[in-house]
Amino acid sequence: MNEQPGGPYPDLPYPDLMDRVVNLAKRRGFIFPSAEIYGGFRSTYDYGPLGVLMLRNVKDAWWRAMVQLRDDVVGIDAAILSSPKIWEASGHLANFTDPLVDCRHCHERWRADKIEGSCPNCGSTDLTEPRAFNLMFKTYAGPVEEDATVAYLRPETAQGMFVNFMNVLTTTRKKPPFGIAQVGKSFRNEITPQNFVFRTREFEQMEMEYFVPPDEADTWFHYWLDERMAWYLGLGIPEGKLRLRHHEADELSHYSAATADVEFHFPWGWDELEGIANRTDFDLKAHAEHSGERLEYFDQASGERYVPYVIEPAAGATRTMMAFLLAAYDEDEIGGERRTVLHLDPRLAPYQAAVLPLSKNDALVPLSREVLGLLQPVAVCDFDVTQSIGRRYRRQDEVGTPYCVTVDFESLEDRAVTVRDRDTTEQVRVPIDRVAEELAGRLRR
Ligand code: ATP
């Protein structure tokens, strides 16, 4: 985490942006503290009606770019509950640790590498020596709590791709360069979860392992750096809030020949959204050695047999969703009235459209429902009849809905509706029988 000269967020119009976004997320049903009626539970979060839509959109946008629009990447969905043998081979049992220190004064625990010699809680410098703390959640598969049944919740999705390498190779007949992608939950017993959903113990990852001939690894590493930066920028993260940071040699993980992080300018400074690593042949070789299976590619044309190198773009879905929210947040003035608006890309917004009858009038509501029925196949829609139309526009702006479709008394006469644009607030009249097509056209990119 590096801070910019001149303060953590010099160009920020709202010094308390983080509070505003956390507040909005709670108030509008994006993200709730988990088990809130019991006082919350250890930095866990639940995704509410709008959050589940947005998080799904983030994951879908990733899947679309990484799998659907390519012919060299396939997906899998591996088990979360996993054998200790996987984590022994991968090095996680021995190495997946953070240095833990205790404050002798207030007894808080901290990650030694994230604090500067004194307790962030009470300021005491009387700290214990750091000791290695393994971040994996351990549990028992089966009714008897004994060593034979120990299992781990996966701390990353990546190993699912390595242990299925031969299964995928033989069932899809892919040849390097090709990739295996996965989106799903991972668990880490973080010492200090913090900053809302930036660092939590349960989170979602979007990872892809791209298997390449060893002599092409460097080229593909750079290819994926460009692709991944373009993905964030294409979905609306401003250029000034995104950067690539290459790791120094002494910062590299035990398996990595090169790593760069995609970093976002969070309210507390630059921090990681995604790590892109050249993992070499470390993982396939480790699993081959531990399992006794051959994990190699045999090139029939050349008769050559080799262990591919792996380029891994590893992103966090929940962390990325938070970055999209922070980047989209704005407050402005429309017609002399202040509003909060999320300038989310329509592909990420929880609702792509809201259908709003001008009033609760008996004739307007059925026609509005007809419009809703036409739009639902092309867009995720909200339907809102309560309060004044101005208030309802504000409510939709605040959750990032790009289009409001208003059904008014004229609609009963001319069978047309008004489509309002969230960002420009411009309104156009569109015939009801063309509104689905019009919206689909606007949403298509
Ligand atoms: P950090 O240094 O922040 O602990 P990491 O380098 O260990 O992260 P990776 O193992 O590279 O992270 O995981 C890939 C991505 O998964 C990260 O870039 C991040 O977006 C996400 N991620 C990792 N740990 C967490 C967490 N505890 N909560 C939310 N997202 C996480």
Side-chain angles (χ1 to χ4, degrees):
M1 183 169 103
N2 306 321
E3 296 203 340
Q4 291 268 328
Y9 225 148
D11 55 343
L12 188 75
Y14 322 108
D16 58 348
L17 175 69
M18 189 70 183
D19 291 344
R20 291 183 199 218
V21 168
V22 172
N23 187 293
L24 176 81
K26 165 88 201 301
R27 186 162 40 79
R28 297 306 311 274
F30 284 84
I31 302 173
F32 307 122
S34 189
E36 201 181 7
I37 60 169
Y38 294 106
F41 181 67
R42 316 216 117 225
S43 300
T44 51
Y45 292 91
D46 296 341
Y47 288 73
L50 297 197
V52 72
L53 291 172
M54 182 170 171
L55 183 58
R56 180 172 295 191
N57 289 342
V58 171
K59 293 184 287 185
D60 284 351
W62 185 89
W63 192 269
R64 186 177 156 82
M66 302 296 278
V67 183
Q68 188 185 334
L69 296 180
R70 310 182 60 98
D71 62 4
D72 57 350
V73 179
V74 294
I76 61 163
D77 189 7
I80 289 172
L81 211 51
S82 44
S83 162
K85 289 182 180 160
I86 292 180
W87 309 109
E88 201 184 310
S90 69
H92 281 74
L93 273 174
N95 296 321
F96 196 58
T97 57
D98 276 341
L100 170 74
V101 291
D102 291 291
C103 170
R104 288 200 182 90
H105 185 245
C106 72
H107 307 294
E108 284 286 338
R109 296 190 144 172
W110 304 102
R111 239 175 93 170
D113 58 331
K114 295 277 175 188
I115 61 174
E116 278 160 24
S118 63
C119 172
N121 184 44
C122 71
S124 165
T125 51
D126 191 6
L127 306 171
T128 60
E129 283 301 307
R131 58 191 186 283
F133 172 74
N134 195 294
L135 298 181
M136 285 199 293
F137 279 99
K138 194 175 183 176
T139 186
Y140 298 91
V144 188
E145 284 194 20
E146 59 186 31
D147 281 352
T149 59
V150 164
Y152 291 91
L153 301 188
R154 66 180 179 198
E156 61 174 33
T157 62
Q159 298 304 321
M161 278 75 108
F162 298 128
V163 298
N164 280 296
F165 173 74
M166 288 313 285
N167 283 336
V168 173
L169 203 60
T170 52
T171 52
T172 63
R173 312 189 68 80
K174 293 278 177 213
K175 52 182 285 201
F178 82 100
I180 311 178
Q182 179 169 203
V183 173
K185 290 233 165 157
S186 293
F187 301 81
R188 297 181 187 179
N189 199 0
E190 299 279 1
I191 297 167
T192 41
Q194 60 191 340
N195 292 327
F196 196 37
V197 296
F198 178 82
R199 186 182 304 289
T200 48
R201 296 195 171 100
E202 173 176 350
F203 56 98
E204 275 198 272
Q205 289 189 306
M206 310 184 286
E207 298 193 298
M208 199 270 286
E209 309 305 321
Y210 200 70
F211 301 92
V212 301
D215 60 351
E216 294 176 20
D218 196 48
T219 308
W220 285 110
F221 175 66
H222 287 94
Y223 167 87
W224 283 110
L225 296 184
D226 293 345
E227 284 290 302
R228 296 304 305 144
M229 285 293 280
W231 185 80
Y232 292 96
L233 295 170
L235 285 167
I237 302 279
E239 238 167 75
K241 290 207 182 334
L242 200 71
R243 73 174 189 190
L244 257 186
R245 189 180 66 80
H246 288 268
H247 284 207
E248 304 290 337
D250 63 354
E251 209 189 328
L252 294 175
S253 317
H254 59 285
Y255 52 74
S256 174
T259 298
D261 290 342
V262 177
E263 293 190 332
F264 175 71
H265 201 195
F266 284 95
W268 58 89
W270 290 98
D271 221 334
E272 173 179 338
L273 284 181
E274 167 163 354
I276 300 158
N278 173 355
R279 296 180 73 126
T280 69
D281 54 7
F282 175 85
D283 303 271
L284 288 179
K285 279 196 168 154
H287 285 299
E289 192 185 312
H290 281 75
S291 66
E293 299 282 330
R294 264 193 160 166
L295 305 180
E296 303 169 333
Y297 175 70
F298 176 62
D299 188 340
Q300 280 181 332
S302 67
E304 196 195 354
R305 190 180 282 286
Y306 66 89
V307 180
Y309 269 37
V310 174
I311 310 302
E312 173 194 72
T318 38
R319 189 180 284 187
T320 297
M321 170 176 157
M322 177 177 161
F324 282 124
L325 282 173
L326 287 163
Y329 187 94
D330 197 12
E331 291 175 26
D332 61 11
E333 221 174 89
I334 297 294
E337 222 187 299
R338 273 198 84 69
R339 69 165 180 172
T340 299
V341 54
L342 292 183
H343 293 291
L344 288 172
D345 185 286
R347 290 167 291 181
L348 300 179
Y351 297 124
Q352 278 87 58
V355 177
L356 312 173
L358 190 67
S359 83
K360 277 189 197 160
N361 178 284
D362 282 351
L364 287 189
V365 172
L367 184 60
S368 304
R369 290 208 165 275
E370 187 188 326
V371 172
L372 179 68
L374 291 170
L375 293 183
Q376 276 170 331
V378 302
V380 177
C381 295
D382 191 16
F383 185 75
D384 189 4
V385 294
T386 56
Q387 299 186 319
S388 77
I389 191 71
R391 290 284 284 276
R392 280 181 279 160
Y393 284 153
R394 298 295 98 83
R395 285 173 58 79
Q396 295 299 334
D397 291 342
E398 196 182 41
V399 299
T401 310
Y403 301 106
C404 285
V405 177
T406 308
V407 180
D408 55 26
F409 290 100
E410 250 183 82
S411 310
L412 296 171
E413 309 296 323
D414 66 357
R415 283 193 62 84
V417 289
T418 300
V419 177
R420 172 187 177 273
D421 181 293
R422 172 195 71 200
D423 297 333
T424 62
T425 73
E426 249 169 41
Q427 307 197 3
V428 293
R429 199 81 184 155
V430 180
I432 289 177
D433 59 9
R434 287 226 316 271
V435 69
E437 199 187 319
E438 163 79 21
L439 204 71
R442 288 185 186 219
L443 294 170
R444 203 176 299 127
R445 292 256 181 138

